Amino acid sequence: MYSWLKKYDSEWLKQNYRRVKTVVNPVDWNKRDAELLPLVREVVSEMKEGKPKRITWTTIGSKLGISGWLSKRKEKLPLTKAYIESELESLEEYHIRKIKLAIEELERQGKEITLWNLAETAGVKPRYMKVISKEIRDTLREKGYNYIFSNKQL
C-alpha cells in the first residue's frame, strides 16, 4: 500500500503519513555487567556439576535466555567477559571432563573400565579419544588403574 501511494499520490502521503518514532533507552552497561556476573557464575557452576555441557558463550547465553546479545556485546561487559573467558573450554578440555565423569560413573556402577565402556558412558567418539589419549591414561593412572590402551584401540 505504501509503495502504491508513494508512486501515485505522494503529495497525500507526505501530508498524512506518520512515522513511528522509536525511543531508544540508553543502557547502563556497567550496571548490567555487575548484575549479570553472579548469574553467569551460577550457570557455569551448574554446568560443571550437572550433565556435561560444553562451556561456551552460546551455552551460557542460552541458559540465561540472552544468547542473542551476550556474545555480541561482550566488549561492553568487562567483568563478565573476563570470567567467561577464564572458564571457556576447548573441545579437548570438554571431552577430558566427560571422560573423568565417566570414570566416576563406571566406578559407582562397579563396571570394568575399558576403552569402550569409557567411550559409551562419556559419549565421546573414539576418534576424539585418540586426540586426548595421553590425558585419559594420566587420569586413569591418578585413579590407580594400569589399563594400557594399544594404538589399535585408540
Side-chain angles (χ1 to χ4, degrees), residues 5 34 41 67 104:
L5 283 170
R41 286 178 194 248
S67 62
E104 290 174 11

Side-chain angles (χ1 to χ4, degrees), residues 25-83:
N25 293 327
V27 176
D28 182 353
W29 288 103
N30 292 328
K31 180 181 175 189
R32 184 169 287 183
D33 192 19
E35 291 169 352
L36 192 58
L37 184 59
L39 299 173
V40 168
R41 286 178 194 248
E42 185 178 327
V43 165
V44 169
S45 175
E46 288 170 7
M47 289 173 71
K48 285 183 175 181
E49 291 172 11
K51 183 179 177 187
K53 189 147 175 98
R54 187 171 169 201
I55 298 171
T56 64
W57 280 94
T58 306
T59 54
I60 293 168
S62 66
K63 293 236 182 233
L64 290 171
I66 55 172
S67 62
W69 63 263
L70 180 63
S71 61
K72 292 177 187 170
R73 303 282 194 265
K74 61 185 166 189
E75 297 305 323
K76 296 182 179 199
L77 305 164
L79 299 174
T80 304
K81 179 185 177 198
Y83 176 72

Side-chain angles (χ1 to χ4, degrees), residues 103 113 118 136-145 149:
I103 291 169
I113 296 182
L118 272 177
I136 294 171
R137 285 188 197 105
D138 292 346
T139 302
L140 287 171
R141 274 195 210 107
E142 286 173 18
K143 295 263 186 184
Y145 296 101
F149 299 116

Side-chain angles (χ1 to χ4, degrees), residues 99 102 106 114-126 129:
I99 292 291
L106 289 171
T114 64
L115 182 66
W116 299 113
N117 281 348
L118 272 177
E120 184 178 34
T121 305
V124 177
K125 294 180 180 172
M129 291 180 79

